Amino acid sequence: MPLSPTVLPASTARTNDDGRAFAAATGILTATVRTNGRAARLPTNLGHVMPAIARVLVYLLVALVCCQQVARAASPSIGISAPVGGQRGTEIEVAFNGANLGDGQEVMFYEPGITIKDVQVVNENQIKAKLTIAPECRLGIHDYRVRTATGISNLRTFHVGALPETVEAEPNSDFAAPQAIAFNSTINGIVENEDVDYFVIEVAKGTRINAELEGIRLGNFFFDPYVSIMNAGRFELAGSDDAALLRQDCIASLVAPEDGKYIIQVRESAFGGNGSCNYRLHLGAFPRPRAVVPAGGKPGSTLEVRYLGDIAGERAATVTLPTEPSTDFGLFAQDEQGIAPSANVFRLSDLENFIETEPNNAQAQGNPFAAPLALNGVIAEPGDVDCFKFKATKGQVLDIQVYARRIRTPLDPVLYVLASNGGNVAGSDDSAGPDSYLRFTAPADDEYTVMLHDHLRKGGVDYAYRVELTAVQPALTMGLPEQSQFVDIVAPVPRGNRFAFILSGSRADFGGELAVELRNLPAGVQIETVPMAANQTTVPVLLTAPADAAIAGSLVDVVGRWNDPNQKVEGQLSQLTSLIRGQNNVRMWDRETRRMAVSVAEESPFSIEVIEPKVPLVRGGTMNLKVVAHRKDGFTAPIAVRMLYNPPDVGSAGTITIPEGQNEALIPLNAGGGAEIRPWRIAVLGDAGTARGTVSVASQLATLLISEPYFGFTFQAAAVEQNQETDIVIQVSKSKDFEGAAKVELLGLPHEVTTEPKEITKDSTELVFRLKTTANSPAGKHPTLICRATVTENGEPITHMLGTGELRIDTPLPPKADAPAAPAAAAPMPEQPPEKRLTRLEQLRLDREKAKAERAAAKAAAEAAPATDAPPAAESQPAAAAPAEPPKS
């Protein structure tokens, strides 16, 4: 897949002293861009620099980025836009900065409300477009990608607000000389290293002041902001580092104690910062509740909610919920003074709501309810415990989910289920992140209690929660597994060519085959895939674009469906994009999208094809998969090819290169003993460098058959002395007939041990290799013997790797110094060949009998000889006597 340069994440992004000095001296705002593990900084606001200097700086920095780009750099890349947000009901011009944007054509927003016109290419690293933000556009974060004629960019975000927009103006780092701004406005700014930005407003006594800051939520940099509200005497009246509602972003709230001026301070929490620490400060009298109860409701319903945690106090409101679920759905608190700049998370579910009533701190005081239901409440003070009672029958199963951190409240919930006698039946803490989840099975007919409290026994007005008790229901979620870590899967399909990716299906509480489909593909694009078998979680998907398809793009619905006419289980795509990461690549800020970006791109200068094997890949065997490249005239660049995926327990080589000017390569495959026996649809991906970077294509979906081996081998143990010969005997068991002879080679032999290849037929039952050793053959046990057996069918090899066997090599015993010369042996009688080959044990027994006979013959010869002066030892120890015991096998 195309690998885009990405904005440098928190774990790896750094600004060195030279970079900070450059930004401070020139005032040029920069964005740090990472390309294949290297970083470069691109300017985002060169308007106030002399045009000639600006051009030189741009060219130098662009050259730095481009020279670092290697494989997969063709995909367009987006850093941060300028501006990064706008007021709804307005039209603004936005510059999209990044790399490989010279053929930019479209900005693809995932949700309605923002329309694009007049897309203009400025240079390879910037496009501009006019954005019309509808008056009814949803406030908050909007995801987008940039589509070019050759690719699709990484995911970025644009932020829509309700207040008029303004820009921070330096110098404003002196408390005594803050920047004057209008109350009820949104300020766009940057915190440089050790920078502190001050803004001043003037309000009347009793005015609600809310200062909400978007920093890490812009998805640009690991920026940990701090905001405070101070009086003219520099006394901090309200301050905030992290707010549970906003994660690492912050909210400072205050009701003005008197008429006058108030100073708003913005900085990095540890007085750090750099040119990538952008922020949006929403400053006004708008409501800013920290929680809402209930925190969920039925789609399409109208219900009463209570907004909690606002500096001006609790407030009730009536809301009407949408009929269809939305990824980013939430409630925006609104009153006569304005609307909150970001939402309180709100769940859409089919459950009825139940609101707690106090007192319910003890089991005996538990609020009664009947499951399934959604329990809503607040751990309102330190030490608070909330209890709810329900009846369940023996064997009844319920899923119990606690939503607290997931709805952005500070509660760290601990969940218990108690029996009527007070005994603990089940409990959970942090099984759903900081939230709690358990699957409860009633052990008996009884009245049970759901008990909830904070892990540290904390509490507060905004410690809200929602507990959903539901019957177990099947669920399905579709996914796009990354091929490179933290790089989203997008699908630019070249005209007249193919593009392939893997689609996953995560089943919950059901099994069975899945059917998959992609809806709303660009005109002309065709999909080819296979059902997802019940024992599989992924399938390959191949997209093909005709040569005359219009260059265009769309956001595609990816749908999985239980392939059972009696069941109605359908799942949508969930694609999680990591925008900001902390140390050790810990995810700090992600965005979830529900559609896949697909486009028809300009044609590629090459295509690839798999030569479909005519023979199977057997378990325990190997195969070379042939890939052929079809090049357009004049295109000679190397092409890197690799498997899209491997069937279970099948391995392949990594990337294989088709050399410059050549057209073929072989990808080695091997199958383990657990490879599933059936036909598999496979594809190969190909990448090659072009004038616009690296282009990716795919082969067709070819069929690879996995089968049982044609025969099995059983090795008999063998032993030999150095510089001697022995036989390795292998029993052959046939499992499938084959024509002709199979060539068998014995591999894994120790140093200076040799043998010759053999052949077997479908009727063979035994295979014997004659081994020759030398005096240098290493003594010891060698359990490394393996056979490579090759059957030829349809003109192609079927290679089996069968083993293993063991060879023991012994060192000969040294001859005794006083041993007499061996008597001349009688001429041997011709031996009759055995009716069958002896086993190792039978051979040892025969050798022992032969040794006994030789000793008896020697003794008889000695007794019959005339007496001599030879020492008596010679009589009792005849020369060359065979050992009394054969060597152990």
Side-chain angles (χ1 to χ4, degrees), residues 126-163:
Q126 187 183 82
I127 62 171
K128 288 184 177 180
K130 289 183 179 179
L131 274 61
T132 301
I133 309 173
E136 67 279 5
C137 180
R138 177 183 60 77
L139 297 178
I141 304 173
H142 288 256
D143 304 296
Y144 72 88
R145 298 180 190 270
V146 170
R147 181 186 63 79
T148 68
T150 51
I152 302 172
S153 79
N154 52 311
L155 185 85
R156 301 300 292 165
T157 57
F158 187 82
H159 299 248
V160 175
L163 301 174

mmCIF file of all heavy atoms in Angstrom, residues 126-163:
data_model
loop_
_atom_site.group_PDB
_atom_site.id
_atom_site.type_symbol
_atom_site.label_atom_id
_atom_site.label_comp_id
_atom_site.label_asym_id
_atom_site.label_seq_id
_atom_site.Cartn_x
_atom_site.Cartn_y
_atom_site.Cartn_z
ATOM 1 N N GLN A 126 1.668 22.026 -1.998
ATOM 2 C CA GLN A 126 0.527 22.783 -1.498
ATOM 3 C C GLN A 126 -0.565 22.863 -2.556
ATOM 4 O O GLN A 126 -0.287 23.052 -3.740
ATOM 5 C CB GLN A 126 0.943 24.192 -1.092
ATOM 6 C CG GLN A 126 -0.172 24.987 -0.409
ATOM 7 C CD GLN A 126 0.233 26.397 -0.073
ATOM 8 O OE1 GLN A 126 0.187 27.288 -0.926
ATOM 9 N NE2 GLN A 126 0.662 26.623 1.169
ATOM 10 N N ILE A 127 -1.791 22.690 -2.084
ATOM 11 C CA ILE A 127 -2.955 23.036 -2.887
ATOM 12 C C ILE A 127 -3.820 23.974 -2.058
ATOM 13 O O ILE A 127 -3.746 23.989 -0.824
ATOM 14 C CB ILE A 127 -3.780 21.798 -3.318
ATOM 15 C CG1 ILE A 127 -4.339 21.068 -2.091
ATOM 16 C CG2 ILE A 127 -2.968 20.864 -4.181
ATOM 17 C CD1 ILE A 127 -5.337 19.974 -2.455
ATOM 18 N N LYS A 128 -4.627 24.755 -2.736
ATOM 19 C CA LYS A 128 -5.564 25.642 -2.067
ATOM 20 C C LYS A 128 -6.967 25.335 -2.570
ATOM 21 O O LYS A 128 -7.155 24.905 -3.706
ATOM 22 C CB LYS A 128 -5.222 27.109 -2.328
ATOM 23 C CG LYS A 128 -3.971 27.590 -1.612
ATOM 24 C CD LYS A 128 -3.758 29.086 -1.836
ATOM 25 C CE LYS A 128 -2.537 29.580 -1.058
ATOM 26 N NZ LYS A 128 -2.310 31.036 -1.252
ATOM 27 N N ALA A 129 -7.946 25.568 -1.693
ATOM 28 C CA ALA A 129 -9.342 25.358 -2.063
ATOM 29 C C ALA A 129 -10.219 26.278 -1.244
ATOM 30 O O ALA A 129 -9.860 26.683 -0.130
ATOM 31 C CB ALA A 129 -9.742 23.904 -1.842
ATOM 32 N N LYS A 130 -11.375 26.617 -1.799
ATOM 33 C CA LYS A 130 -12.367 27.388 -1.064
ATOM 34 C C LYS A 130 -13.354 26.422 -0.404
ATOM 35 O O LYS A 130 -13.899 25.530 -1.061
ATOM 36 C CB LYS A 130 -13.097 28.346 -1.989
ATOM 37 C CG LYS A 130 -12.233 29.508 -2.448
ATOM 38 C CD LYS A 130 -13.022 30.486 -3.306
ATOM 39 C CE LYS A 130 -12.135 31.665 -3.733
ATOM 40 N NZ LYS A 130 -12.869 32.623 -4.597
ATOM 41 N N LEU A 131 -13.527 26.596 0.886
ATOM 42 C CA LEU A 131 -14.433 25.752 1.662
ATOM 43 C C LEU A 131 -15.655 26.571 2.045
ATOM 44 O O LEU A 131 -15.526 27.660 2.636
ATOM 45 C CB LEU A 131 -13.758 25.228 2.933
ATOM 46 C CG LEU A 131 -12.938 23.936 2.821
ATOM 47 C CD1 LEU A 131 -11.786 24.096 1.843
ATOM 48 C CD2 LEU A 131 -12.441 23.518 4.191
ATOM 49 N N THR A 132 -16.820 26.063 1.707
ATOM 50 C CA THR A 132 -18.071 26.663 2.141
ATOM 51 C C THR A 132 -18.624 25.818 3.272
ATOM 52 O O THR A 132 -18.950 24.645 3.075
ATOM 53 C CB THR A 132 -19.080 26.736 0.990
ATOM 54 O OG1 THR A 132 -18.513 27.507 -0.072
ATOM 55 C CG2 THR A 132 -20.379 27.394 1.459
ATOM 56 N N ILE A 133 -18.701 26.425 4.467
ATOM 57 C CA ILE A 133 -19.152 25.709 5.661
ATOM 58 C C ILE A 133 -20.612 26.085 5.884
ATOM 59 O O ILE A 133 -20.930 27.254 6.143
ATOM 60 C CB ILE A 133 -18.299 26.076 6.881
ATOM 61 C CG1 ILE A 133 -16.802 25.918 6.561
ATOM 62 C CG2 ILE A 133 -18.669 25.207 8.071
ATOM 63 C CD1 ILE A 133 -15.883 26.424 7.651
ATOM 64 N N ALA A 134 -21.490 25.125 5.763
ATOM 65 C CA ALA A 134 -22.927 25.381 5.855
ATOM 66 C C ALA A 134 -23.302 25.888 7.247
ATOM 67 O O ALA A 134 -22.672 25.493 8.241
ATOM 68 C CB ALA A 134 -23.705 24.107 5.537
ATOM 69 N N PRO A 135 -24.323 26.738 7.342
ATOM 70 C CA PRO A 135 -24.753 27.233 8.657
ATOM 71 C C PRO A 135 -25.157 26.115 9.604
ATOM 72 O O PRO A 135 -25.009 26.250 10.821
ATOM 73 C CB PRO A 135 -25.926 28.151 8.319
ATOM 74 C CG PRO A 135 -25.706 28.550 6.894
ATOM 75 C CD PRO A 135 -25.065 27.366 6.241
ATOM 76 N N GLU A 136 -25.682 25.017 9.060
ATOM 77 C CA GLU A 136 -26.123 23.891 9.896
ATOM 78 C C GLU A 136 -25.048 22.818 10.044
ATOM 79 O O GLU A 136 -25.311 21.741 10.615
ATOM 80 C CB GLU A 136 -27.390 23.256 9.321
ATOM 81 C CG GLU A 136 -27.212 22.547 7.981
ATOM 82 C CD GLU A 136 -27.208 23.482 6.769
ATOM 83 O OE1 GLU A 136 -27.245 24.712 6.961
ATOM 84 O OE2 GLU A 136 -27.177 22.963 5.636
ATOM 85 N N CYS A 137 -23.837 23.076 9.566
ATOM 86 C CA CYS A 137 -22.752 22.093 9.660
ATOM 87 C C CYS A 137 -22.516 21.709 11.116
ATOM 88 O O CYS A 137 -22.517 22.573 12.009
ATOM 89 C CB CYS A 137 -21.482 22.670 9.056
ATOM 90 S SG CYS A 137 -20.064 21.559 9.103
ATOM 91 N N ARG A 138 -22.311 20.435 11.351
ATOM 92 C CA ARG A 138 -22.038 19.980 12.709
ATOM 93 C C ARG A 138 -20.762 20.621 13.225
ATOM 94 O O ARG A 138 -19.746 20.658 12.539
ATOM 95 C CB ARG A 138 -21.890 18.455 12.728
ATOM 96 C CG ARG A 138 -21.540 17.889 14.103
ATOM 97 C CD ARG A 138 -21.330 16.385 14.059
ATOM 98 N NE ARG A 138 -20.250 15.990 13.176
ATOM 99 C CZ ARG A 138 -18.951 16.085 13.465
ATOM 100 N NH1 ARG A 138 -18.559 16.581 14.627
ATOM 101 N NH2 ARG A 138 -18.035 15.689 12.592
ATOM 102 N N LEU A 139 -20.806 21.100 14.459
ATOM 103 C CA LEU A 139 -19.611 21.667 15.075
ATOM 104 C C LEU A 139 -18.621 20.559 15.411
ATOM 105 O O LEU A 139 -18.985 19.400 15.568
ATOM 106 C CB LEU A 139 -19.983 22.429 16.351
ATOM 107 C CG LEU A 139 -20.894 23.649 16.201
ATOM 108 C CD1 LEU A 139 -21.192 24.239 17.568
ATOM 109 C CD2 LEU A 139 -20.266 24.694 15.300
ATOM 110 N N GLY A 140 -17.357 20.942 15.546
ATOM 111 C CA GLY A 140 -16.349 19.989 15.986
ATOM 112 C C GLY A 140 -15.452 19.521 14.865
ATOM 113 O O GLY A 140 -15.157 20.244 13.920
ATOM 114 N N ILE A 141 -15.029 18.253 14.959
ATOM 115 C CA ILE A 141 -13.973 17.716 14.096
ATOM 116 C C ILE A 141 -14.570 17.059 12.859
ATOM 117 O O ILE A 141 -15.493 16.234 12.963
ATOM 118 C CB ILE A 141 -13.128 16.691 14.879
ATOM 119 C CG1 ILE A 141 -12.558 17.345 16.149
ATOM 120 C CG2 ILE A 141 -12.003 16.149 14.021
ATOM 121 C CD1 ILE A 141 -11.847 16.376 17.068
ATOM 122 N N HIS A 142 -14.020 17.390 11.699
ATOM 123 C CA HIS A 142 -14.423 16.788 10.431
ATOM 124 C C HIS A 142 -13.186 16.163 9.785
ATOM 125 O O HIS A 142 -12.155 16.819 9.602
ATOM 126 C CB HIS A 142 -15.042 17.828 9.503
ATOM 127 C CG HIS A 142 -16.406 18.274 9.930
ATOM 128 N ND1 HIS A 142 -17.558 17.857 9.312
ATOM 129 C CD2 HIS A 142 -16.794 19.081 10.959
ATOM 130 C CE1 HIS A 142 -18.601 18.398 9.913
ATOM 131 N NE2 HIS A 142 -18.166 19.149 10.924
ATOM 132 N N ASP A 143 -13.286 14.890 9.419
ATOM 133 C CA ASP A 143 -12.171 14.150 8.828
ATOM 134 C C ASP A 143 -12.173 14.321 7.316
ATOM 135 O O ASP A 143 -13.239 14.370 6.679
ATOM 136 C CB ASP A 143 -12.286 12.661 9.168
ATOM 137 C CG ASP A 143 -12.362 12.422 10.666
ATOM 138 O OD1 ASP A 143 -11.387 12.732 11.353
ATOM 139 O OD2 ASP A 143 -13.417 11.943 11.145
ATOM 140 N N TYR A 144 -10.974 14.355 6.746
ATOM 141 C CA TYR A 144 -10.873 14.469 5.292
ATOM 142 C C TYR A 144 -9.587 13.824 4.810
ATOM 143 O O TYR A 144 -8.649 13.591 5.576
ATOM 144 C CB TYR A 144 -10.919 15.939 4.842
ATOM 145 C CG TYR A 144 -9.678 16.735 5.169
ATOM 146 C CD1 TYR A 144 -8.592 16.782 4.281
ATOM 147 C CD2 TYR A 144 -9.569 17.454 6.357
ATOM 148 C CE1 TYR A 144 -7.441 17.513 4.579
ATOM 149 C CE2 TYR A 144 -8.430 18.186 6.659
ATOM 150 C CZ TYR A 144 -7.370 18.206 5.771
ATOM 151 O OH TYR A 144 -6.232 18.914 6.069
ATOM 152 N N ARG A 145 -9.552 13.547 3.519
ATOM 153 C CA ARG A 145 -8.345 13.139 2.795
ATOM 154 C C ARG A 145 -8.282 13.942 1.502
ATOM 155 O O ARG A 145 -9.319 14.343 0.958
ATOM 156 C CB ARG A 145 -8.346 11.640 2.472
ATOM 157 C CG ARG A 145 -8.361 10.728 3.696
ATOM 158 C CD ARG A 145 -8.351 9.255 3.280
ATOM 159 N NE ARG A 145 -8.601 8.365 4.405
ATOM 160 C CZ ARG A 145 -7.662 7.859 5.189
ATOM 161 N NH1 ARG A 145 -6.396 8.153 4.960
ATOM 162 N NH2 ARG A 145 -7.977 7.057 6.182
ATOM 163 N N VAL A 146 -7.089 14.137 1.003
ATOM 164 C CA VAL A 146 -6.897 14.798 -0.282
ATOM 165 C C VAL A 146 -6.680 13.729 -1.343
ATOM 166 O O VAL A 146 -5.865 12.814 -1.163
ATOM 167 C CB VAL A 146 -5.711 15.775 -0.236
ATOM 168 C CG1 VAL A 146 -5.365 16.270 -1.641
ATOM 169 C CG2 VAL A 146 -6.033 16.959 0.666
ATOM 170 N N ARG A 147 -7.426 13.861 -2.439
ATOM 171 C CA ARG A 147 -7.257 12.930 -3.566
ATOM 172 C C ARG A 147 -6.527 13.643 -4.694
ATOM 173 O O ARG A 147 -6.888 14.750 -5.081
ATOM 174 C CB ARG A 147 -8.609 12.425 -4.067
ATOM 175 C CG ARG A 147 -8.477 11.425 -5.232
ATOM 176 C CD ARG A 147 -9.822 11.043 -5.809
ATOM 177 N NE ARG A 147 -10.527 12.169 -6.390
ATOM 178 C CZ ARG A 147 -10.266 12.678 -7.589
ATOM 179 N NH1 ARG A 147 -9.281 12.164 -8.346
ATOM 180 N NH2 ARG A 147 -10.959 13.698 -8.046
ATOM 181 N N THR A 148 -5.496 12.983 -5.194
ATOM 182 C CA THR A 148 -4.792 13.468 -6.371
ATOM 183 C C THR A 148 -5.075 12.529 -7.533
ATOM 184 O O THR A 148 -5.770 11.515 -7.383
ATOM 185 C CB THR A 148 -3.280 13.535 -6.120
ATOM 186 O OG1 THR A 148 -2.770 12.196 -5.974
ATOM 187 C CG2 THR A 148 -2.962 14.333 -4.853
ATOM 188 N N ALA A 149 -4.539 12.854 -8.691
ATOM 189 C CA ALA A 149 -4.743 11.980 -9.849
ATOM 190 C C ALA A 149 -4.047 10.647 -9.676
ATOM 191 O O ALA A 149 -4.372 9.678 -10.378
ATOM 192 C CB ALA A 149 -4.247 12.671 -11.119
ATOM 193 N N THR A 150 -3.087 10.559 -8.735
ATOM 194 C CA THR A 150 -2.322 9.318 -8.579
ATOM 195 C C THR A 150 -2.486 8.654 -7.223
ATOM 196 O O THR A 150 -1.946 7.576 -7.009
ATOM 197 C CB THR A 150 -0.822 9.598 -8.802
ATOM 198 O OG1 THR A 150 -0.429 10.699 -7.974
ATOM 199 C CG2 THR A 150 -0.542 9.942 -10.254
ATOM 200 N N GLY A 151 -3.194 9.265 -6.282
ATOM 201 C CA GLY A 151 -3.281 8.628 -4.971
ATOM 202 C C GLY A 151 -4.250 9.318 -4.030
ATOM 203 O O GLY A 151 -4.962 10.257 -4.399
ATOM 204 N N ILE A 152 -4.240 8.836 -2.786
ATOM 205 C CA ILE A 152 -5.114 9.341 -1.728
ATOM 206 C C ILE A 152 -4.241 9.592 -0.503
ATOM 207 O O ILE A 152 -3.419 8.748 -0.132
ATOM 208 C CB ILE A 152 -6.223 8.333 -1.394
ATOM 209 C CG1 ILE A 152 -7.055 8.029 -2.644
ATOM 210 C CG2 ILE A 152 -7.123 8.854 -0.283
ATOM 211 C CD1 ILE A 152 -8.049 6.887 -2.458
ATOM 212 N N SER A 153 -4.442 10.721 0.147
ATOM 213 C CA SER A 153 -3.559 11.117 1.240
ATOM 214 C C SER A 153 -3.926 10.431 2.546
ATOM 215 O O SER A 153 -4.931 9.729 2.665
ATOM 216 C CB SER A 153 -3.634 12.638 1.443
ATOM 217 O OG SER A 153 -4.813 12.983 2.170
ATOM 218 N N ASN A 154 -3.093 10.699 3.546
ATOM 219 C CA ASN A 154 -3.381 10.315 4.922
ATOM 220 C C ASN A 154 -4.583 11.108 5.437
ATOM 221 O O ASN A 154 -5.002 12.110 4.850
ATOM 222 C CB ASN A 154 -2.152 10.585 5.807
ATOM 223 C CG ASN A 154 -1.646 12.006 5.664
ATOM 224 O OD1 ASN A 154 -1.453 12.500 4.547
ATOM 225 N ND2 ASN A 154 -1.426 12.690 6.773
ATOM 226 N N LEU A 155 -5.138 10.662 6.551
ATOM 227 C CA LEU A 155 -6.307 11.316 7.146
ATOM 228 C C LEU A 155 -5.868 12.540 7.929
ATOM 229 O O LEU A 155 -4.913 12.497 8.697
ATOM 230 C CB LEU A 155 -7.034 10.346 8.079
ATOM 231 C CG LEU A 155 -8.337 10.876 8.670
ATOM 232 C CD1 LEU A 155 -9.482 10.644 7.696
ATOM 233 C CD2 LEU A 155 -8.650 10.197 10.005
ATOM 234 N N ARG A 156 -6.595 13.634 7.759
ATOM 235 C CA ARG A 156 -6.393 14.846 8.544
ATOM 236 C C ARG A 156 -7.746 15.375 8.994
ATOM 237 O O ARG A 156 -8.794 14.844 8.587
ATOM 238 C CB ARG A 156 -5.649 15.920 7.734
ATOM 239 C CG ARG A 156 -4.292 15.497 7.232
ATOM 240 C CD ARG A 156 -3.341 15.127 8.353
ATOM 241 N NE ARG A 156 -2.975 16.296 9.132
ATOM 242 C CZ ARG A 156 -2.401 16.228 10.326
ATOM 243 N NH1 ARG A 156 -2.162 15.065 10.877
ATOM 244 N NH2 ARG A 156 -2.073 17.327 10.970
ATOM 245 N N THR A 157 -7.738 16.403 9.843
ATOM 246 C CA THR A 157 -8.991 16.921 10.389
ATOM 247 C C THR A 157 -9.091 18.430 10.186
ATOM 248 O O THR A 157 -8.089 19.152 10.206
ATOM 249 C CB THR A 157 -9.107 16.616 11.892
ATOM 250 O OG1 THR A 157 -7.988 17.174 12.590
ATOM 251 C CG2 THR A 157 -9.159 15.121 12.142
ATOM 252 N N PHE A 158 -10.341 18.873 9.997
ATOM 253 C CA PHE A 158 -10.671 20.299 9.913
ATOM 254 C C PHE A 158 -11.723 20.567 10.981
ATOM 255 O O PHE A 158 -12.630 19.759 11.186
ATOM 256 C CB PHE A 158 -11.204 20.649 8.523
ATOM 257 C CG PHE A 158 -11.414 22.116 8.304
ATOM 258 C CD1 PHE A 158 -10.354 22.946 7.951
ATOM 259 C CD2 PHE A 158 -12.672 22.692 8.451
ATOM 260 C CE1 PHE A 158 -10.539 24.297 7.748
ATOM 261 C CE2 PHE A 158 -12.866 24.043 8.242
ATOM 262 C CZ PHE A 158 -11.794 24.856 7.892
ATOM 263 N N HIS A 159 -11.611 21.722 11.656
ATOM 264 C CA HIS A 159 -12.397 21.960 12.859
ATOM 265 C C HIS A 159 -13.357 23.120 12.642
ATOM 266 O O HIS A 159 -12.935 24.225 12.268
ATOM 267 C CB HIS A 159 -11.463 22.223 14.036
ATOM 268 C CG HIS A 159 -10.560 21.071 14.319
ATOM 269 N ND1 HIS A 159 -10.637 20.295 15.448
ATOM 270 C CD2 HIS A 159 -9.562 20.502 13.576
ATOM 271 C CE1 HIS A 159 -9.745 19.336 15.411
ATOM 272 N NE2 HIS A 159 -9.078 19.446 14.281
ATOM 273 N N VAL A 160 -14.627 22.853 12.891
ATOM 274 C CA VAL A 160 -15.678 23.837 12.653
ATOM 275 C C VAL A 160 -16.159 24.390 13.986
ATOM 276 O O VAL A 160 -16.474 23.628 14.918
ATOM 277 C CB VAL A 160 -16.850 23.206 11.879
ATOM 278 C CG1 VAL A 160 -18.004 24.201 11.726
ATOM 279 C CG2 VAL A 160 -16.377 22.721 10.514
ATOM 280 N N GLY A 161 -16.215 25.710 14.073
ATOM 281 C CA GLY A 161 -16.682 26.375 15.281
ATOM 282 C C GLY A 161 -17.881 27.259 15.000
ATOM 283 O O GLY A 161 -18.242 27.515 13.844
ATOM 284 N N ALA A 162 -18.462 27.785 16.089
ATOM 285 C CA ALA A 162 -19.634 28.658 15.969
ATOM 286 C C ALA A 162 -19.273 30.128 16.094
ATOM 287 O O ALA A 162 -20.098 30.994 15.785
ATOM 288 C CB ALA A 162 -20.664 28.283 17.030
ATOM 289 N N LEU A 163 -18.063 30.442 16.571
ATOM 290 C CA LEU A 163 -17.684 31.813 16.876
ATOM 291 C C LEU A 163 -16.854 32.413 15.753
ATOM 292 O O LEU A 163 -16.205 31.683 14.982
ATOM 293 C CB LEU A 163 -16.876 31.848 18.179
ATOM 294 C CG LEU A 163 -17.585 31.305 19.423
ATOM 295 C CD1 LEU A 163 -16.625 31.273 20.603
ATOM 296 C CD2 LEU A 163 -18.828 32.120 19.758
#
